[in-house]
Amino acid sequence: MAAWALPGTTSLIQGAHELAAQIATPLDALATLEDTGATAGPVHLAGPSELLCVRVLPALAPLVTDGVQLRVAQGLPEPLIEEMRTGRHDLVIATRRPRGRALQSVPLADEEYLLVATPRWAQRVGGHAQADDLCAALREVPMVTYAEDLPIIRRYWRTIFGKQHTAHAAVAVPNLYAVLSAVNAGAGYSVLPRSLCQDHLDSGRLTLLHDPEEPPLNTLFLLQRPGAEANPDVLRVRERLREAAHAW
C-alpha cells in the first residue's frame, strides 16, 4: 500500500524534528544543573588565617557536625580573589570588595584594631615622664609588627593621632599570630584586630594602651563565586557566617 500524507504534513514533521534538536541541548544542561543543585559537596572556603582560626571555623563547627564538608585555604585578599575567579574557591572572606560585578560580595563585619601591650608595659607607659603624650611615651617601648613597613601601625597612628609613625620595629614577624605571641610574652606593643586579642584582654594578659572613641575599622566582605549556589551547603555556610558575624 502506498504511503500517503496530508498536504504539508512532511514539512511539519521536519520542523518538529529541527525544533527538538535545537532545544535538546538547553534541556540537557538544565537537567544537569538541577541534578547538581540537589547534591551537596565540599564547600571551598578561604580567608585570612587568623580570622579563620579564631572566628570562622568555630562558627562553622555545628554545620560540620551536621554533615557539611569544608575545604579551607588561607591567604591574602588579592591572590584569593584571583583564585576565586578561576573557580578554586566557593566563598572568600576578604578585607576589600573586589572590582567589577563578576563576584557577588556583601559586607560581613567591621574589624576593630586596638593598641595593646602587657600590663607591665602599660604601667611603665603610664608612669613615663611624658605619659600625657602617648606617642612620645611609646618611643621607649619595643614595637612588634608583622611587616617591616608597619601597615597596621602606620594606619593607626595616621587615623588616631594624625601623625606619621617613624619608629622602627624591634620585632618583625610573618603573621598576626606571631605578633600576638610576642606581645603576649612581653616583647613590646603592637596594633592587633580585636578578634585576635579579645580573649587576652578579657583574661588580663593584655591591656589597651589607648581607647579612642572610634578605633580604626577594617570592613570584611564575604565573596561568592558565580554558580556556587548550586551546592546547597555553600548557602548554608554563607548564611551561618552572616549570622555569626553579628557577634564578631
Side-chain angles (χ1 to χ4, degrees), residues 20 31 41 47 56 92 104 115 132 144 147 152 212 215 245:
V56 174
V92 165
Q104 177 185 343
L115 182 61
D132 58 335
V144 183
I152 297 176

Side-chain angles (χ1 to χ4, degrees), residues 116-218:
V116 297
T118 59
R120 181 176 66 87
W121 279 117
Q123 186 176 8
R124 289 185 59 176
V125 169
H128 193 275
Q130 293 179 284
D132 58 335
D133 184 349
L134 182 58
C135 295
L138 285 174
R139 292 193 187 105
E140 298 181 15
V141 181
M143 178 177 58
V144 183
T145 180
Y146 88 97
E148 286 284 1
D149 60 348
L150 325 176
I152 297 176
I153 293 177
R154 284 192 298 104
R155 181 190 173 198
Y156 191 98
W157 251 245
R158 185 173 61 252
T159 302
I160 300 302
F161 301 124
K163 60 179 67 176
Q164 295 295 323
H165 194 292
T166 58
H168 296 287
V171 181
V173 291
N175 57 62
L176 293 178
Y177 262 131
V179 173
L180 176 63
S181 178
V183 172
N184 188 53
Y189 76 92
S190 192
V191 176
L192 288 166
R194 180 180 290 276
S195 63
L196 190 58
C197 62
Q198 185 63 59
D199 289 346
H200 293 72
L201 292 170
D202 292 341
S203 67
R205 288 173 287 175
L206 293 180
T207 188
L208 285 176
L209 294 176
H210 191 229
D211 189 14
E213 291 185 6
E214 297 184 10
L217 299 177
N218 204 20

